[in-house]
Amino acid sequence: MSRARTDAGGGRRRARRTRARRAGPTREGPEGMPSPLRAAARRTARGISLALLGALALVPLAVGAGGAGAAAADAPAQGSTGRIVVGSKNFEESRLLAELFAQLLEARTGLAVERRLGLAGTQVCFEALRGGAIDLYPEYTGTGLASILGAEPKPGPEGDAAATLALVRREFLARWDLHWLAPLGFENAYEIAVPRRLAEARGLASISDLARAAGDLRAVLGYEFVERADGLPGLAAAYGLEFASVQPMQQALKYRAVAAGEADVLDVYTTDGRLASHDLVVLADDRGFFPPYQAAPLVRGAALAEHPEIAAALSLLAGALDAETMRGLNLRLQEGREEEPAVARDALAALGLAGDAPAAARDSAAGEGFGAYLWRRRAQLAARTGEHLALSAGALLLGVLAAVPLGLALERRRNAAEPIIRAVALTQTVPSLALLAFMIPLLGVGPLPALVALWIYSLFPILRNTYTGVRDADPDAVAAVLALGMTERRALAEIRLPLAAPVIMAGVRTAAVITVGTATLAAFIGAGGLGEPIVTGLQLADTRMILSGAVPAALLALAVDTALALLERRLRPPGID
Amino acid sequence: MTELIPASAQPALEARAVAVTYAGGVRALDGVDLAVAAGETVALVGESGSGKSTLLRLFNRTVEPSAGEVLVGGEPVAGRDPVALRRGIGYVPQEGGLIPHWTVRRNVELVPRLEGWERGRRRERARAALALVGLDPESFGGRHPRALSGGQRQRVAIARALAADPPVVLLDEPFGALDALTRRALQDEFLALERRLGKTMLLVTHDLDEAFRLGHRVAVLKDGRIRQVAPPAELAARPADDYVRSLLDRRRAGGAG
């Protein structure tokens, strides 16, 4: 396999582009540092959300130990030596590096380490870091340059690895007080690859060769690569590249498509373990289009000032990992179906840095049935279900508390009602993932922004049904009791609300199903829940893992709906059909 | 029947030069004078939109006049608390307006309950009121309105209006939604109640026959004005204008509807 380039490299699928990304860092510029006020507000908000989650987990909703345990694990109660939060993006290598950092910090410092792995990409991670919701995460210099700073990669020596690192170090420090620690020793770049037999048949060694042959070749490319300036648009312009077809596709599926002969060209990452296992040839970036992507820990200045031992511990990884090592480690995650804690522990042991990290169960994948798989992961699943339920129930409860009074108020001011209800209806049209992403700059990552986003989703069905339910509740009877001297307030409490209860409950049920379903996306911003195995499973194209989140989530939605249907029946007043 | 009206007494209900203009400039009533003596039943008759329901609703302040004065028991209603005022006035709407998730007994006890009567007294009154309208309190008290026929529901609505024994009862097309036989039966019972209870009653109907049967006096409304107020016999004998005459002609042509 001909590996071309060191200074040319690709990026990462740093998550989907969300709209929040554009509203993100560039808007605020150098003065966008988190103010003490904002930090204080955030801490308070987080405290409230944790308290709420904790309280909700105790609600006797069949959560059991899972919910309470999950909430307790979130509580910042781990002693007085300090606590830091390690984040990662939602792909294997990022998770693995974050786990490595976490284990190393646990072994070498007295800090309690909280993990928020699998955040939905560069934008979410970066915002979380800038806002202080996480203290560090693994990032790549080229991504810092192109995606976060929005700078054009420079060809030649001005754009080499050292110059790029120097540039992002300077800018991140000046703008946000964020520190790039020593690079880990490998780059993980975008590259273009083709199957070996195709390379041999067509004489392809470089991207320039590919440009000449591309007219009848089919490309499968990552979603983000298709969009990014340092992805296909720039590459096509630099090389005059025009494929017969371009199909955006999820990472793991691209490999399958090429292996099945349904596509000819794909974008890959330098350290992807599947490069070796799929017999692919990486084409040389002979015009030096891709910027360098050195991996390094990106850390908040405030965290470093408070805990200088972070830098000392992580410096042990400086230059310690080469691309070959990373390919091997990634392959264990990608195809060996192993989990990050075990792989990270082995990697630290190989580097002579192993501490007494907690042993993680090995995933003995082969031949295991789905039932056995679920049973082995029951503790995680119970915790995830608890988180999921707490999040959904919290959002729904807050939705009822807000939307029912609002619906009643609007019913008394009917002129204002329709515009306001329509405005609330608009929230339903915002894509869930985008809404979650909007929350990041405001509320950071974790359960609180997810709770708020889900709460917003729950409002409309409850509001609409409360308003129409009360408005249409037997107007003849209401007019009669008012004419006989019942007060408006009493008529509302004793007649209109009871009569509207079935309609309101129908709205609550709709909101509940939406909330439980949407809560699976909360994993993208580090709020946990049953979306966690779905997101990770999608990353690994591991159907079993996806199902281990999707099936319980569906069952949960069904159970919640059934429970609310029973409640609805109890609330239905007598004498009504 | 005119001799029943004590001519000297203060009117129980009175409207003086009342006008009602709804939002949008629609004039529902335009300079209406009406006095109802204590113990008298006046039937308001007219077509849809003639203003008869609006006039009725002035007296319990579910409609407010834009000009003129409305008095109940000799006192202007404008200065009184609408809630207290309404509890002293019985009200029977067209479709009954019973509360669907309450039992018949509870529906009938509405005003006594609002007035804070203690339970035994409430029960006693509800029983009496149901018996008054010909419903057996034991077999009907525990039912919900949807388990009743239309006629039974209207009986309950009348019982509810009478439960706290108000001196004045307003009835807004109380039998309008019933079939002819049931209506006839209820009219007969109403007449008996009228004689027995001696309440002041204002009855809205679009049915001239009903107005003639139930009213001591009949007031004919057209386009927000009263064309004539007179006892039925006098109205039939000396219609005040062509409109009243045309109503009488239609009644004769239509038979005893």
Side-chain angles (χ1 to χ4, degrees):
Chain A
M1 146 159 148
S2 73
R3 313 216 96 253
R5 77 20 8 100
T6 318
D7 56 345
R12 288 279 80 236
R13 79 224 83 161
R14 8 238 123 189
R16 278 167 226 196
R17 287 186 179 226
T18 61
R19 276 186 253 169
R21 154 183 217 149
R22 288 198 180 90
T26 48
R27 190 191 51 196
E28 296 195 23
E31 67 280 4
M33 273 182 235
S35 69
L37 192 67
R38 189 169 144 189
R42 198 189 56 249
R43 274 193 301 277
T44 311
R46 185 190 288 176
I48 291 170
S49 83
L50 289 171
L52 198 66
L53 282 177
L56 284 165
L58 298 177
V59 169
L61 278 172
V63 188
D74 261 354
Q78 289 106 324
S80 54
T81 50
R83 186 185 72 110
I84 57 163
V85 184
V86 178
S88 88
K89 303 182 195 177
N90 56 341
F91 58 90
E92 312 89 56
E93 183 173 286
S94 189
R95 299 175 70 104
L96 175 62
L97 292 175
E99 179 64 30
L100 263 175
F101 297 168
Q103 289 189 11
L104 190 59
L105 289 168
E106 282 168 342
R108 300 279 164 160
T109 71
L111 296 167
V113 181
E114 184 186 329
R115 294 160 174 79
R116 288 219 186 282
L117 307 189
L119 302 175
T122 302
Q123 188 60 30
V124 172
C125 262
F126 175 74
E127 288 293 344
L129 185 70
R130 200 162 63 106
I134 61 175
D135 296 305
L136 67 133
Y137 77 96
E139 187 51 285
Y140 303 88
T141 55
T143 302
L145 181 75
S147 289
I148 299 177
L149 295 175
E152 289 281 320
K154 292 175 185 161
E158 270 183 83
D160 71 11
T164 302
L165 177 63
L167 177 70
V168 295
R169 270 194 169 144
R170 192 172 63 240
E171 290 296 321
F172 275 60
L173 202 57
R175 295 190 191 191
W176 304 298
D177 190 27
L178 299 179
H179 297 248
W180 290 84
L181 301 188
L184 304 174
F186 70 94
E187 288 191 33
N188 188 9
Y190 273 131
E191 304 194 307
I192 300 297
V194 295
R196 180 173 303 281
R197 50 183 166 65
L198 180 71
E200 284 166 1
R202 304 287 287 268
L204 306 178
S206 67
I207 301 179
S208 292
D209 297 338
L210 180 67
R212 283 189 287 277
D216 62 340
L217 297 179
R218 301 155 299 169
V220 281
L221 304 172
Y223 293 103
E224 191 167 337
F225 186 81
V226 170
E227 296 292 328
R228 291 169 63 133
D230 57 336
L232 181 63
L235 186 72
Y239 283 94
L241 201 54
E242 232 175 284
F243 293 109
S245 68
V246 172
Q247 178 74 49
M249 201 174 277
Q250 201 258 330
Q251 186 59 17
L253 299 179
K254 293 189 306 195
Y255 284 91
R256 292 189 184 173
V258 171
E262 285 164 18
D264 311 303
V265 183
L266 72 165
D267 63 305
V268 299
Y269 310 119
T270 316
T271 54
D272 196 313
R274 287 167 292 213
L275 278 175
S277 66
H278 283 72
D279 199 18
L280 296 168
V281 173
V282 171
L283 302 178
D285 179 16
D286 50 331
R287 296 196 185 169
F289 169 74
F290 291 120
Y293 288 85
Q294 295 192 84
L298 184 57
V299 192
R300 287 173 64 226
L304 283 181
E306 201 176 334
H307 306 294
E309 65 269 33
I310 294 174
L314 294 179
S315 72
L316 295 170
L317 289 173
L321 297 165
D322 61 19
E324 199 53 53
T325 306
M326 283 312 297
R327 271 193 290 274
L329 296 173
N330 283 335
L331 192 62
R332 286 175 62 180
L333 298 173
Q334 289 159 346
E335 307 217 322
R337 296 280 182 263
E338 293 183 63
E339 289 169 12
E340 299 97 8
V343 177
R345 201 185 49 217
D346 290 354
L348 284 180
L351 293 170
L353 298 173
D356 50 352
R362 287 256 174 177
D363 193 332
S364 53
E368 187 185 39
F370 186 55
Y373 177 80
L374 289 182
W375 179 248
R376 184 163 52 76
R377 296 177 62 96
R378 63 192 180 278
Q380 282 134 296
L381 284 176
R384 297 292 174 233
T385 307
E387 289 165 6
H388 202 96
L389 203 54
L391 203 56
S392 310
L396 193 65
L397 191 68
L398 294 174
V400 170
L401 291 180
V404 170
L406 180 60
L408 297 180
L410 289 180
E411 200 278 327
R412 305 202 58 170
R413 288 179 190 73
R414 294 195 189 173
N415 292 337
E418 279 304 323
I420 290 177
I421 290 174
R422 227 168 294 146
V424 174
L426 281 182
T427 61
Q428 296 281 312
T429 67
V430 180
S432 332
L433 207 51
L435 187 63
L436 287 168
F438 284 147
M439 295 296 149
I440 307 272
L442 304 172
L443 301 169
V445 294
L448 180 64
L451 190 73
V452 172
L454 293 175
W455 171 70
I456 289 174
Y457 270 113
S458 74
L459 289 177
F460 175 66
I462 304 174
L463 176 65
R464 161 64 71 195
N465 282 35
T466 301
Y467 173 71
T468 55
V470 173
R471 185 191 62 189
D472 300 342
D474 206 330
D476 287 338
V478 173
V481 297
L482 292 178
L484 284 165
M486 189 180 258
T487 58
E488 290 267 3
R489 184 178 293 269
R490 242 177 122 167
L492 182 66
E494 294 185 27
I495 299 177
R496 310 176 79 185
L497 269 179
L499 289 178
V503 181
I504 297 174
M505 276 307 296
V508 172
R509 282 172 66 183
T510 306
V513 173
I514 291 175
T515 306
V516 172
T518 310
T520 52
L521 295 174
F524 279 115
I525 57 171
L530 289 165
E532 190 89 27
I534 298 177
V535 169
T536 312
L538 278 171
Q539 192 57 51
L540 300 173
D542 182 342
T543 312
R544 205 171 50 171
M545 190 181 284
I546 295 170
L547 287 177
S548 78
V551 171
L555 291 177
L556 198 59
L558 214 63
V560 167
D561 189 51
T562 308
L564 290 174
L566 291 174
L567 182 61
E568 179 184 331
R569 199 172 303 169
R570 292 203 57 169
L571 286 177
R572 184 176 288 273
I576 305 293
D577 291 312
Chain B
M1 288 189 237
T2 49
E3 67 277 9
L4 290 176
I5 306 161
S8 59
Q10 191 177 43
L13 301 173
E14 190 174 7
R16 293 180 185 157
V18 164
V20 173
T21 307
Y22 285 123
V26 179
R27 180 149 281 220
L29 288 180
D30 190 5
V32 167
D33 292 287
L34 179 72
V36 183
E40 184 189 23
T41 297
V42 170
L44 304 176
V45 68
E47 300 159 16
S48 299
S50 61
K52 55 189 191 299
S53 282
T54 302
L55 179 55
L56 176 101
R57 294 170 63 185
L58 283 169
F59 293 104
N60 64 6
R61 289 195 69 184
T62 50
V63 167
E64 297 290 345
S66 38
E69 201 176 19
V70 177
L71 301 92
V72 172
E75 274 182 64
V77 296
R80 293 164 66 174
D81 171 26
V83 167
L85 174 74
R86 290 169 191 169
R87 289 184 192 170
I89 300 177
Y91 177 71
V92 183
Q94 175 170 9
E95 298 284 358
L98 300 179
I99 299 158
H101 60 295
W102 286 6
T103 60
V104 165
R105 186 181 304 115
R106 188 144 193 230
N107 266 285
V108 173
E109 285 179 18
L110 174 71
V111 180
R113 183 188 296 273
L114 293 175
E115 290 284 88
W117 295 12
E118 49 90 14
R119 185 189 156 92
R121 187 167 164 226
R122 283 199 321 249
R123 280 287 136 94
E124 189 44 49
R125 277 303 305 168
R127 242 195 300 276
L130 281 171
L132 213 52
V133 296
L135 293 177
D136 175 17
E138 302 313 317
S139 65
F140 284 92
R143 296 197 202 173
H144 282 97
R146 71 165 170 175
L148 305 179
S149 72
Q152 288 166 341
R153 278 201 283 269
Q154 285 308 110
R155 287 169 198 261
V156 175
I158 293 170
R160 178 175 66 179
L162 296 173
D165 201 20
V168 175
V169 181
L170 307 176
L171 303 100
D172 194 352
E173 305 221 26
F175 313 125
L178 303 176
D179 65 84
L181 279 178
T182 310
R183 190 183 325 155
R184 187 83 191 180
L186 272 159
Q187 286 170 355
D188 290 340
E189 293 187 38
F190 182 84
L191 273 175
L193 274 181
E194 200 179 273
R195 291 197 194 95
R196 194 168 140 199
L197 300 176
K199 304 262 179 217
T200 306
M201 301 211 253
L202 196 56
L203 168 88
V204 162
T205 176
H206 62 269
D207 176 356
L208 200 57
D209 263 328
E210 184 169 287
F212 273 42
R213 288 197 74 203
L214 305 184
H216 298 135
R217 286 190 297 155
V218 175
V220 178
L221 278 90
K222 166 80 173 155
D223 299 333
R225 292 169 186 272
I226 292 185
R227 294 300 183 94
Q228 189 172 5
V229 190
E234 188 186 329
L235 196 82
R238 286 183 292 280
D241 59 20
D242 289 347
Y243 178 69
V244 179
R245 189 171 300 114
S246 74
L247 275 188
L248 292 165
D249 291 345
R250 247 182 281 164
R251 175 185 175 230
R252 272 176 219 114

